[in-house]
Amino acid sequence: KQWYQRRVRGIKCETFENEIAELTEKCVELQEQASNSKRLKDEVDELNYRLTNTAKLEQQVEMYKKKLEEIPELKQQVKSLEGQIDEINGLETQYIKFFV
């Protein structure tokens, strides 16, 4: 009977040791997964920040594109104003010659 009880205790002890080993391995795996999860969360946060920043930059690019589209019209307005200035200068010269 004592031999049987020792044998049962030995088997239970081996079973518990196996369970402890399995649980320890599972704990290590879970710690690795938790570490990986934190790393992935940090990566997602960084990508979200970049996405927000990219959206702002795209808005700025669109604004500058619109300004670039206005340049030919502004150049035309400058030429027109230069023509008006030349005309005024010519009239001023004629005025000075006529009245001086």
Side-chain angles (χ1 to χ4, degrees):
K1 185 175 180 177
Q2 288 180 352
W3 175 85
Y4 177 75
Q5 289 176 345
R6 275 187 266 164
R7 180 74 178 135
V8 169
R9 280 188 218 141
I11 292 173
K12 285 183 181 179
C13 190
E14 286 178 26
T15 303
F16 289 144
E17 288 173 352
N18 288 339
E19 284 184 35
I20 289 171
E22 287 175 12
L23 290 172
T24 301
E25 187 177 320
K26 183 84 168 173
C27 185
V28 168
E29 288 176 17
L30 290 173
Q31 287 174 339
E32 289 173 357
Q33 288 176 359
S35 177
N36 192 34
S37 176
K38 172 147 180 30
R39 183 186 58 77
L40 290 173
K41 183 192 176 301
D42 291 344
E43 189 175 329
V44 166
D45 289 345
E46 175 66 22
L47 290 172
N48 280 332
Y49 171 77
R50 288 182 180 182
L51 180 63
T52 301
N53 199 30
T54 300
K56 289 178 184 176
L57 291 173
E58 286 175 346
Q59 288 175 346
Q60 286 181 337
V61 166
E62 287 302 315
M63 180 185 68
Y64 290 131
K65 280 183 181 179
K66 288 179 183 175
K67 288 187 178 193
L68 285 172
E69 290 171 358
E70 295 173 358
I71 288 177
E73 183 182 330
L74 293 173
K75 284 183 177 181
Q76 185 61 37
Q77 288 176 4
V78 167
K79 284 183 181 180
S80 175
L81 291 172
E82 287 173 343
Q84 290 176 12
I85 290 172
D86 290 343
E87 188 178 323
I88 290 171
N89 285 339
L91 291 173
E92 184 179 350
T93 303
Q94 288 177 4
Y95 177 80
I96 291 173
K97 284 181 182 178
F98 186 73
F99 289 106
V100 174

